[in-house]
Amino acid sequence: MAPQAPAYPYRAPIRKVPLALAALCLVIVPIALFSWFPVRTTLNADERKQKLRDVHGGPQPFSGTFVGNGWKSPKTLDTKVVGETKFARLEVHSVMIDEEHNKIVNDWLFMEEANHVNIAIQMQTDKKFLVMETTKYAIPGKTLSPVGGFIDAGESPLDAAKREVMEEVGVGSPYTKEHEHDGTKWAHPNKQELEMDEYNLPIGSNNGDDPDWIFLGRYRPAANRGGGFLYTYLLKNAVPVMEHGGTPEFAGVGDDEDQSFQMLTDAELQEALLAGGFQEIKWTATMSLALQHLSTVKSEEL
């Protein structure tokens, strides 16, 4: 009797792959895949330490619409831009907060602004302080404020302060009126050289010939979130250098918010500060530092 054909389709016998060849495939295939897809989202401990050593703290220049600088410290591992305008930039940083225990914060929000100035102005004639009563987008109702504004690219903080008081309220120091004004705007022929400190930040001190400009200090508005650097000044013995300067009739160049001039004595300024009349902390700090400086000078003269 003839043998019957199998009910299932014929299959050729499977030859065994040598063990050495199989092991070689297990090595080569992963290497090829990682070579084809080289993107890696994490760093090992040694790479993180090296990156920390390579990064120096301080402003970091970059290209974009933002006119200021980015910020990195020795703890910064990575930065990503969320959005930016001319005067502000929102980033998400990855920050090594504990290298010993490999603790990293990957969602550290950082809001950098262009560096800026605030100026407390004391007039020469009656020693009153010239301040603004104004409205601001993020402040309910009206508030008092000093003169202030952003520092232009390549501009020293002191030059920015001189320009701002000229543009916004039409005043300056007697030195400015005699040497730095051409009748229509601040000409600043003796423009102060932009100098940087050991942290690559602009130096705000007054190294020129104008004794009525007092540098009150440089400060971070938000220690962990940025906000640019604020340079604070006191302008003593301020005089009008523009037509109607220092008066309500002066047509200043500044914010579009509604604003008016106010003249306050030392006592009225202190009362306004204690009552919360300056509703931004930077303004309160600037005016308080100005009062403290004048009080210290007065005590030394007695």
Side-chain angles (χ1 to χ4, degrees), residues 54-89:
D54 290 342
V55 176
H56 299 284
Q60 303 291 319
F62 58 88
S63 58
T65 59
F66 179 44
V67 299
N69 290 317
W71 177 262
K72 287 186 179 180
S73 85
K75 295 184 177 183
T76 308
L77 300 179
D78 190 27
T79 63
K80 296 179 181 178
V81 179
V82 177
E84 63 179 350
T85 65
K86 183 177 180 181
F87 298 115
R89 190 179 200 227

Side-chain angles (χ1 to χ4, degrees), residues 20 25 32 36 41 90 102 126 180 190 252 269 292:
C25 290
W36 187 260
T41 58
L90 177 61
N102 195 29
D126 54 12
E180 300 177 328
N190 301 317
L269 175 57
Q292 180 62 43

Side-chain angles (χ1 to χ4, degrees), residues 229-280:
F229 284 91
L230 169 68
Y231 292 77
T232 58
Y233 292 91
L234 165 63
L235 170 57
K236 302 187 301 179
N237 300 313
V239 295
V241 295
M242 302 279 283
E243 185 178 6
H244 303 304
T247 69
E249 289 75 28
F250 177 74
V253 177
D255 297 334
D256 294 330
E257 291 97 342
D258 179 41
Q259 59 186 24
S260 61
F261 291 1
Q262 299 287 331
M263 293 290 187
L264 303 179
T265 64
D266 289 21
E268 290 170 338
L269 175 57
Q270 185 170 359
E271 183 180 355
L273 288 166
L274 293 174
F278 293 82
Q279 294 190 50
E280 184 181 80

Side-chain angles (χ1 to χ4, degrees), residues 6-146:
Y8 49 84
Y10 173 76
R11 293 180 182 176
I14 300 175
R15 296 182 178 181
K16 293 183 179 180
V17 179
L19 183 60
L21 181 59
L24 185 62
C25 290
L26 289 175
V27 173
I28 293 175
V29 170
I31 292 176
L33 288 174
F34 278 106
S35 299
W36 187 260
F37 302 104
V39 177
R40 184 158 49 92
T41 58
T42 60
L43 300 173
N44 62 41
D46 291 337
E47 289 172 325
R48 281 193 294 270
K49 290 179 181 179
Q50 182 61 45
K51 192 163 187 178
L52 285 171
R53 287 191 291 267
D54 290 342
V55 176
H56 299 284
Q60 303 291 319
F62 58 88
S63 58
T65 59
F66 179 44
V67 299
N69 290 317
W71 177 262
K72 287 186 179 180
S73 85
K75 295 184 177 183
T76 308
L77 300 179
D78 190 27
T79 63
K80 296 179 181 178
V81 179
V82 177
E84 63 179 350
T85 65
K86 183 177 180 181
F87 298 115
R89 190 179 200 227
L90 177 61
E91 301 172 336
V92 176
H93 289 197
S94 293
V95 180
M96 175 71 75
I97 60 173
D98 186 348
E99 185 176 355
E100 181 180 355
H101 298 93
N102 195 29
K103 189 173 182 181
I104 301 172
V105 175
N106 290 310
D107 58 354
W108 191 296
L109 284 178
F110 197 82
M111 181 65 181
E112 193 64 295
E113 284 190 309
N115 295 338
H116 44 289
V117 294
N118 278 171
I119 308 101
I121 302 172
Q122 187 183 45
M123 302 301 293
Q124 184 184 64
T125 52
D126 54 12
K127 302 304 180 183
K128 289 185 177 181
F129 288 89
L130 171 59
V131 300
M132 315 296 293
E133 185 179 56
T134 183
T135 58
K136 293 291 181 181
Y137 175 71
I139 293 178
K142 289 190 176 183
T143 179
L144 297 175
S145 79

